[in-house]
Amino acid sequence: MSIDKAQSRVTELAAQITHHTKLYYQERKSEISDYEFDQLLEELIKLEIKHPELKHPDSPSQRVGGTITKNFENVTHRTPMLSLGNTYSQEDLEEFDVRVSKGLEGQEYEYICELKFDGVAISLTYENGILKQAATRGDGTRGDNITNNAKTIRTIPLNVNDKTISSIFEVRGEVFMPKNIFEALNKEKIDIGEEPYANARNTASGSLKMQDSGIVSTRKLDCFLYSLTTDNKNVDSHEKSLATLSEMGFNISPTFKRCNNIKEVLAYINHWEEKRHELPLETDGIVIKVNSMSQQEQLGFTAKSPRWAISYKYKSESATTLLNDITYQVGRTGAITPVAELTPVQLAGTTVKRASLHNANEIERLDLRVGDTVFVEKGGEIIPKVTGVDQSMRSKSSDPTLYITDCPECNTPLIRNEGEAVHYCPNINGCPPQIKGRIEHFIQRKAMDIDSLGERTIDQLFETGLVTSPADLYDLTTDQVLSLESFKELSTSNLIKGIENSKNTPFESILFGLGIRFVGKTVAEKLALHFHNWDQLALATYDQLIEVPEIGTRIAESLIAFLSKEENIEQINRLKSHGLKFEIEASANQPESDILQGKSFVVSGVFEEYGRDELKDIIKKNGGKVVSSISGKLDYLLAGDKMGPSKRDKAEKLKVSIISESDFNQMIK
C-alpha cells in the first residue's frame, strides 16, 4: 500500500472508530459488533506500526495503551485546583446561603446542584481541540502528568470538533471505577486467592498511576466532567458550561439540577440520599455552586476554597473504638493482609471486632497506630472499614506503625513486587497457611468439590503430616482417616468416597483448583477450551499463551513460572497417576445447540430452578454469551428475585429485553 493510500485509510479508520466509540459510550448504541470494532482497531494499529509518521496524538489506537511511564512528570495547573469546604448539616448550608446573599448584596442568584462522585480529580488541557495534557490534582497547585493513562479512558475525548470555545481550554472532572467493574475485579482477586481491593476510589487512583498504560486500559475506568475553564464569554453560567461540554462530546452526568433557592437545594439533597445507591458509581455527597460565572467571580475565594461553592457530605453510619492491635494474616498465595483488632463496637446492627486494613499503604495513609481511637464505618458496604483516626485522642507517646518485614507464620523475609501494594511471603512450600490454603482452594465447590473435607479436617491432616499437598489427599487410607479426632466409620467412608468421586472433575475445574496465581475460574475455562489438555498447555510458549482471549502478560508469566518449578510438575504427575482428568472431554467442547448463538445475557438475582452458575453454563452450552454488565449491546437481562432495581432501570432505559426464568426455559426448549 502506498503512503498516500495508507494515510487515507488511517484517516478513514480513525473516523470510523471515533464514531463507534462515541455512539457506544455516550449514546449507548451500537451499529457494529465487538468483533468488527476490534478488527477496525487492529487494522489501524498495524498501519500505524508500518507507517509511524501517520500516527497522531489523538489516534484511537492510544486507547489500548502500551506506553510505559517510569516517572510521572510534575506539572503546574493553569489555575489552582482548590478543595471545597465540607459540611454534614442543613444549618451549615443555610449559613452558606446567607453568606452568598450578603456577598452578592441583594442580587438574585441560583444554584446548580451536582452529585459528588467518589473518584479522582483530573484536569484535561486541550490545544486546538486536541488533548495535550491530563494531570492529577496533586497539592492543588501541581499534579502528576498522567496523559498516557488518561487516553485509555474511552469517555475522555482525544479531540473535539468544536474549536470555537478557545484555542486552549481546560476541563476538570472525576475519574472513577464503575461499581460493576470494581466488583468484577474483586471477584477475580478473590478467585485467585488475593486480598480484594479496599474500595473503588483507591483502585481508580492506583490505576491512574500505573506505569503500563496497557494495564490501565483493562481497568475500564470512566470519567464524568463537571468544569470548563475558557476565555469564551458566551459561557456565562455553570449550567451553560455543562451543556457546552456535553455538546462537545464530554461525558456529563445527567443528575445535576438548577435550584432557585436553598429550599430546592435541600430537596435535591433529600431526593438523592437513598437514590444515589442505585447509581453505577460511588457517591458521597452533593456539590452546590452559584450558577452565574460573574457572581462566582464577585464572591471570590478564601485561601483554600471558593466562596461560591460548598460540598454537603452524607453521613455514613460510623462509630469510634480503640485499635488494640494490628495482626497479619497469610493467604494461600502468600499475600499478607494486616487486620485491625478492635474493641468490640456496635455498628449497623452488628458487633464489629475486626476490620481489614488491606496493605501497608493504607496503614501509612491513615497513619494508624496501636492505641489510637479510630473511626469505623459501614456506609453502603457490608464489610466494616477503618476510615480515620481521632487525633485529639492520640497519646503523645504513640509510635508510628512499622510494617512487618518477616512472615508472621514462618519468619521468612517478605517481598513486595514493583507496582504492587501487597507484601508476600515467598516460602511457598514451607509456610503452613499457604500450604493449607492451597489444599482448601483445591477442594472447594468450584474446583474439586470435596464437601466432606473442611478447614478443621485439613488442619488435622496437615498437623499429623498426612497431607501437605493436594496430591496427598489421594494417598489417604481408611485407617489413616479413622485415626483422626472425631472420625467414625461413616464420616471416614464419606471422606474417602468424596475424594474418589472428585476424580471425575472436569479438566477446567482441576486447572482452577491448582491455585496458579491469576488463574481464576473463568481463565481456567478459557485455557482448557483453547489447549484441550494439560500437555498442550504445558508446552505453550509465552506468545501462544497470550493468543488466548483475555490472557494477558501477567497470566502468561504466572503460568510459565508455575511450570518452571519441578515440585509443581511432580504434583501434576502424581494427580495424573491417581486418575484425575487432565484433558477436556470431547462432549464438553461441543455445544448442546446453537439456539442462543450470537445472543448475550446478564444473569442477576435468585432463581427457583437453577443456580446462577448453572444458568450461565446452560447459556454457554447453547451458543450464548454471558457478560457482566448491562450496555446497549446486551440482548437479554435474565432477571430473578432480589435483583437490584438499578439493573432493571438501566436495562429499561437502554431498551434491553428483560426475561424471567420461565421465559428462558421456553427459549431453550
Side-chain angles (χ1 to χ4, degrees):
M1 185 183 291
S2 68
I3 187 67
D4 290 341
K5 285 187 177 180
Q7 184 169 13
S8 175
R9 183 58 178 159
V10 164
T11 303
E12 182 185 2
L13 286 167
Q16 287 181 24
I17 293 166
T18 300
H19 166 73
H20 291 301
T21 299
K22 182 180 178 182
L23 202 64
Y24 180 68
Y25 285 97
Q26 293 187 22
E27 299 180 33
R28 303 296 188 238
K29 297 177 183 176
S30 181
E31 294 176 344
I32 60 175
S33 68
D34 288 351
Y35 175 77
E36 290 169 315
F37 181 88
D38 291 341
Q39 291 297 104
L40 292 174
L41 189 57
E42 188 177 336
E43 184 184 351
L44 175 63
I45 291 169
K46 284 180 178 177
L47 279 171
E48 288 178 342
I49 291 172
K50 192 173 182 180
H51 303 283
E53 69 276 15
L54 299 180
K55 185 174 182 178
H56 298 288
D58 60 338
S59 168
S61 63
Q62 300 289 299
R63 301 289 193 192
V64 300
T67 306
I68 304 296
T69 307
K70 289 292 184 183
N71 295 297
F72 291 92
E73 174 196 7
N74 213 234
V75 292
T76 302
H77 298 303
R78 290 166 58 82
T79 56
M81 294 182 74
L82 299 177
S83 58
L84 296 179
N86 289 329
T87 179
Y88 291 87
S89 75
Q90 178 176 321
E91 290 77 14
D92 285 348
L93 287 179
E94 290 170 342
E95 288 177 14
F96 165 76
D97 183 53
V98 169
R99 292 195 301 272
V100 168
S101 179
K102 286 182 179 178
L104 294 177
E105 300 174 339
Q107 299 174 42
E108 290 188 2
Y109 57 92
E110 57 192 11
Y111 294 113
I112 294 292
C113 288
E114 301 167 278
L115 286 163
K116 186 176 182 296
F117 305 117
D118 196 13
V120 184
I122 192 171
S123 162
L124 306 171
T125 302
Y126 288 79
E127 293 183 15
N128 298 317
I130 295 175
L131 175 63
K132 287 293 183 181
Q133 179 180 285
T136 61
R137 181 180 179 276
D139 62 5
T141 303
R142 295 176 64 81
D144 290 327
N145 186 337
I146 54 162
T147 308
N148 290 327
N149 288 344
K151 284 180 176 180
T152 69
I153 302 172
R154 294 181 183 270
T155 47
I156 292 179
L158 300 180
N159 60 61
V160 290
N161 293 325
D162 188 348
K163 301 179 180 64
T164 61
I165 292 298
S166 56
S167 59
I168 299 178
F169 64 89
E170 184 185 5
V171 179
R172 291 177 179 175
E174 204 83 2
V175 174
F176 62 91
M177 180 171 281
K179 287 178 183 177
N180 64 319
I181 302 299
F182 179 67
E183 288 165 6
L185 205 57
N186 265 350
K187 185 179 178 183
E188 180 189 347
K189 294 282 281 185
I190 293 166
D191 215 18
I192 60 180
E194 294 196 342
E195 171 71 15
Y197 292 111
N199 55 63
R201 187 207 173 279
N202 288 358
T203 308
S205 177
S207 299
L208 283 176
K209 292 298 295 290
M210 283 181 161
Q211 294 181 345
D212 187 347
S213 60
I215 297 176
V216 181
S217 70
T218 67
R219 293 293 176 88
K220 299 180 181 177
L221 297 174
D222 207 335
C223 184
F224 276 138
L225 287 310
Y226 52 70
S227 170
L228 170 64
T229 303
T230 173
D231 298 331
N232 191 311
K233 299 301 181 184
N234 291 326
V235 183
D236 57 4
S237 71
H238 183 60
E239 186 177 29
K240 192 172 285 186
S241 75
L242 292 174
T244 302
L245 284 171
S246 182
E247 289 167 7
M248 293 167 72
F250 290 95
N251 194 28
I252 307 300
S253 171
T255 54
F256 72 89
K257 185 179 181 181
R258 178 163 47 84
C259 297
N260 293 312
N261 51 54
I262 197 66
K263 286 185 179 179
E264 290 186 11
V265 169
L266 296 174
Y268 179 91
I269 288 170
N270 292 334
H271 171 77
W272 282 106
E273 185 159 12
E274 291 301 324
K275 191 173 176 60
R276 65 195 173 97
H277 296 303
E278 299 174 13
L279 294 170
L281 74 161
E282 298 291 350
T283 61
D284 57 4
I286 304 294
V287 174
I288 302 103
K289 300 174 184 175
V290 170
N291 190 22
S292 165
M293 295 293 190
S294 61
Q295 288 180 335
Q296 288 183 10
E297 191 174 337
Q298 185 179 340
L299 289 165
F301 300 83
T302 67
K304 293 183 178 180
S305 57
R307 291 192 178 93
W308 43 266
I310 193 169
S311 168
Y312 176 86
K313 289 282 197 81
Y314 289 112
K315 292 179 182 177
S316 295
E317 184 160 358
S318 64
T320 56
T321 188
L322 281 176
L323 175 61
N324 297 315
D325 197 7
I326 297 175
T327 58
Y328 299 85
Q329 295 180 340
V330 186
R332 70 170 175 85
T333 63
I336 308 297
T337 303
V339 178
E341 304 291 347
L342 308 166
T343 296
V345 62
Q346 282 292 118
L347 186 61
T350 59
T351 301
V352 176
K353 300 177 183 178
R354 312 176 86 218
S356 170
L357 297 175
H358 302 288
N359 53 56
N361 290 355
E362 190 71 357
I363 293 174
E364 183 180 356
R365 183 181 74 83
L366 295 171
D367 186 23
L368 290 174
R369 307 181 185 187
V370 172
D372 276 344
T373 297
V374 295
F375 300 106
V376 184
E377 288 186 6
K378 273 195 173 179
E381 301 179 19
I382 297 171
I383 301 170
K385 59 182 179 179
V386 175
T387 57
V389 176
D390 186 344
Q391 297 286 349
S392 67
M393 300 291 287
R394 172 172 283 172
S395 167
K396 292 180 180 179
S397 61
S398 72
D399 295 317
T401 297
L402 296 176
Y403 203 83
I404 59 172
T405 56
D406 298 329
C407 176
E409 297 287 343
C410 67
N411 297 317
T412 302
L414 300 178
I415 60 171
R416 189 178 188 181
N417 298 324
E418 185 180 349
E420 293 188 8
V422 178
H423 288 74
Y424 289 90
C425 169
N427 186 17
I428 295 171
N429 297 310
C431 185
Q434 293 190 61
I435 296 168
K436 289 188 282 187
R438 284 197 297 277
I439 297 167
E440 289 170 14
H441 176 77
F442 184 78
I443 62 97
Q444 66 163 289
R445 184 177 61 83
K446 290 182 179 180
M448 305 308 292
D449 195 18
I450 309 176
D451 60 5
S452 45
L453 257 178
E455 187 178 335
R456 186 164 172 265
T457 302
I458 290 171
D459 283 340
Q460 284 192 70
L461 291 168
F462 178 79
E463 297 301 332
T464 56
L466 291 172
V467 175
T468 58
S469 73
D472 290 339
L473 291 168
Y474 297 92
D475 291 327
L476 284 175
T477 66
T478 299
D479 288 342
Q480 287 173 330
V481 177
L482 274 171
S483 69
L484 300 175
E485 183 184 342
S486 302
F487 269 84
K488 305 298 181 186
E489 287 189 11
L490 181 59
S491 53
T492 298
S493 173
N494 287 339
L495 176 54
I496 296 294
K497 190 183 295 181
I499 293 171
E500 185 64 26
N501 290 341
S502 73
K503 293 177 181 179
N504 296 317
T505 300
F507 172 43
E508 60 269 25
S509 296
I510 297 173
L511 185 54
F512 168 63
L514 293 176
I516 304 169
R517 194 176 181 205
F518 304 133
V519 178
K521 183 71 173 173
T522 303
V523 169
E525 288 173 354
K526 291 184 183 300
L527 288 168
L529 283 169
H530 188 86
F531 291 103
H532 302 302
N533 59 58
W534 174 262
D535 293 337
Q536 291 292 331
L537 174 59
L539 290 171
T541 63
Y542 172 84
D543 289 340
Q544 289 171 329
L545 287 169
I546 61 173
E547 284 177 5
V548 183
E550 297 183 36
I551 305 301
T553 298
R554 66 174 191 166
I555 297 173
E557 289 174 348
S558 178
L559 278 162
I560 290 168
F562 181 87
L563 290 161
S564 69
K565 294 175 181 173
E566 288 185 15
E567 59 267 29
N568 293 334
I569 302 302
E570 182 190 345
Q571 283 290 313
I572 301 299
N573 289 335
R574 285 181 63 198
L575 290 170
K576 279 183 174 182
S577 70
H578 284 293
L580 274 70
K581 298 177 180 178
F582 275 83
E583 62 181 3
I584 201 164
E585 294 179 0
S587 60
N589 210 12
Q590 297 295 322
E592 292 178 2
S593 80
D594 61 358
I595 197 166
L596 303 179
Q597 187 70 39
K599 302 298 182 184
S600 59
F601 294 78
V602 164
V603 181
S604 183
V606 179
F607 300 89
E608 290 183 11
E609 192 175 338
Y610 310 101
R612 274 205 299 268
D613 288 341
E614 193 178 358
L615 280 168
K616 291 175 183 178
D617 285 340
I618 293 170
I619 290 168
K620 292 174 187 175
K621 286 177 180 177
N622 286 278
K625 180 182 177 183
V626 179
V627 297
S628 59
S629 59
I630 297 170
S631 70
K633 294 183 178 182
L634 183 69
D635 292 303
Y636 298 104
L637 169 60
L638 178 45
D641 290 338
K642 300 180 181 177
M643 183 183 74
S646 60
K647 284 189 177 177
R648 181 175 291 277
D649 290 346
K650 187 172 183 181
E652 289 174 347
K653 188 176 180 181
L654 296 174
K655 298 181 179 176
V656 171
S657 295
I658 302 172
I659 60 172
S660 66
E661 188 173 9
S662 60
D663 294 332
F664 179 74
N665 279 331
Q666 289 298 318
M667 197 179 279
I668 60 174
K669 285 174 183 176

